[in-house]
Amino acid sequence: MRGFSVPFVRALAALCVAFALPATAQEADPRWSIAIHGGAGTIARENMTAEQDAAYRAALQQALDAGKAVLAGGGDALDAVEAVITRLEDDEKFNAGRGAVFTWDGTHELDASIMDGRTRDAGAVAGVTGIRHPILLARKVMTDSPHVMLAGKGAEAFAAEQGLELMPPEWFDTDARREALERMKAERLSALDVDIKFGTVGAVALDSHGNLAAGTSTGGMTGKRWGRIGDSPLIGAGTYADNRSCAISATGWGEYFIRVGVAHEICARLRYDFRIAALEEQLGVPRDADGLPEYIIHASELALDAEIAQRAADDVMDEVKALGGDGGIILVTPEGHALFSFNTSGMYRGRATSDGVDEVAIYADE
């Protein structure tokens, strides 16, 4: 580099390497963290009976406990995410798997995605039918195919080759979802008029090895037509995980989450915030006689506050709202912060950490 001394160039190179390394170089740290969701939307106390409230909380807690058990036992973040989502896919209260909404034609088209923050490997499926656990199929796409996303009949053929469990169409039918479709047609309503909440399910986790993972599964929107696909199976929109920044799963009006690129946008902002924090720390290091830093701050020595992560998530959700969309996200950071951000009156959610946090919630004021 013409015009710069050799010591300066070497120091600059070391600084760049330090900043480029993941902030998750903490394999010896036993911390773990998990957050889950079962959808966001117009969820108000006055519209929920005590029995319904209790049933949703119990379902969320059971799913959270499943993921927590994996992490507390030293298991992988991917396995924890899978443990949560498979349970929610079997629960007809949520719009995923068995409780999926009906399409306009009276069928069920399921979407799911999963991502490994360690390698940024990802798998997704869209518009599949008859698959009991779409999240398991998404993971098979990630691990057993050369692709990231499969759709429709091709994805179903791949599921059969992989020996995944299939269920008949009627297994996914529920009275509440059928009534919503019939009301939508009879009263010429929009999907948002009958779907006052988005029942998409998801989970994000940090394991004790410092690895992040995220997954999302959904039945989409009531009365959807023409093979409509939302954000849930789209890596970067509804799901994203990167050990360098965060893990995200989203729920809401998918068209807006796609346009904003919500999941990746939040993670990208956190990567930028981390680099700025690292630079500020490095600028505060004492200088030697040549004006060079006496030591280099390594990325593993730094951590972002929960407030910074929360602000990044809230700012992106504000962008979604400004465009006319609503919904929410769950977020876990490399530091173990388990956070939520939503612009609706409620979101079915829960979180647990190795520090003793263990809670589920529904309404915005909880």
Side-chain angles (χ1 to χ4, degrees), residues 334-355:
E335 295 80 16
H337 305 308
L339 307 171
F340 312 107
S341 182
F342 53 99
N343 58 23
T344 56
S345 61
M347 181 166 75
Y348 298 115
R349 61 198 188 274
R351 60 184 169 186
T353 72
S354 54
D355 293 331

Side-chain angles (χ1 to χ4, degrees), residues 2-275:
R2 185 177 301 174
F4 294 99
S5 67
V6 172
F8 180 85
V9 172
R10 288 174 177 170
L12 181 61
L15 183 60
C16 291
V17 170
F19 286 178
L21 289 173
T24 54
Q26 306 163 350
E27 284 78 4
D29 194 331
R31 288 179 304 169
W32 55 262
S33 183
I34 187 169
I36 72 172
H37 72 76
T42 307
I43 306 170
R45 283 187 174 86
E46 57 267 26
N47 296 329
M48 296 270 282
T49 66
E51 292 76 14
Q52 289 172 327
D53 183 291
Y56 274 104
R57 291 179 191 273
L60 289 168
Q61 189 65 60
Q62 289 170 5
L64 183 63
D65 288 345
K68 184 174 65 173
V70 173
L71 297 173
D76 293 337
L78 281 168
D79 292 336
V81 165
E82 182 181 291
V84 169
I85 295 178
T86 52
R87 280 161 177 78
L88 295 176
E89 286 175 334
D90 275 346
D91 192 324
E92 65 181 45
K93 288 188 288 297
F94 301 99
N95 177 20
R98 190 175 192 183
V101 298
F102 283 90
T103 67
W104 184 264
D105 296 323
T107 62
H108 306 280
E109 295 177 355
L110 313 174
D111 309 324
S113 61
I114 195 166
M115 188 166 185
D116 184 346
R118 175 181 48 190
T119 60
R120 280 179 285 168
D121 287 339
V125 293
V128 299
T129 61
I131 309 299
R132 179 175 180 176
H133 291 299
I135 194 66
L136 298 185
L137 179 54
R139 189 168 182 181
K140 282 290 187 181
V141 172
M142 179 178 72
T143 60
D144 291 61
S145 87
H147 309 298
V148 170
M149 176 179 281
L150 300 179
K153 297 299 183 182
E156 293 164 16
F158 178 73
E161 291 178 8
Q162 296 297 314
L164 294 183
E165 186 174 4
L166 306 178
M167 300 300 286
E170 57 271 19
W171 188 83
F172 299 90
D173 295 351
T174 59
D175 292 340
R177 303 299 190 191
R178 188 179 298 279
E179 186 276 335
L181 177 65
E182 292 173 350
R183 182 157 50 90
M184 177 185 185
K185 290 184 173 182
E187 301 177 22
R188 298 184 179 180
L189 301 173
S190 74
L192 296 178
D193 291 323
V194 295
D195 283 337
I196 59 172
K197 59 181 181 299
F198 305 98
T200 295
V201 307
V204 292
L206 168 72
D207 63 33
S208 58
H209 311 290
N211 294 318
L212 293 166
T216 312
S217 182
T218 189
M221 300 183 79
T222 296
K224 62 183 181 179
R225 306 173 75 177
W226 312 300
R228 180 264 183 187
I229 303 296
D231 65 304
S232 295
L234 300 186
I235 301 302
T239 303
Y240 201 75
D242 184 344
N243 278 14
R244 300 172 298 176
S245 54
C246 67
I248 299 276
S249 174
T251 174
W253 195 343
E255 279 71 13
Y256 292 92
F257 282 72
I258 294 170
R259 289 165 59 188
V260 175
V262 166
H264 182 269
E265 178 70 13
I266 294 172
C267 289
R269 291 188 185 205
L270 289 181
R271 283 187 63 197
Y272 175 78
D273 288 341
F274 181 82
R275 287 175 179 269

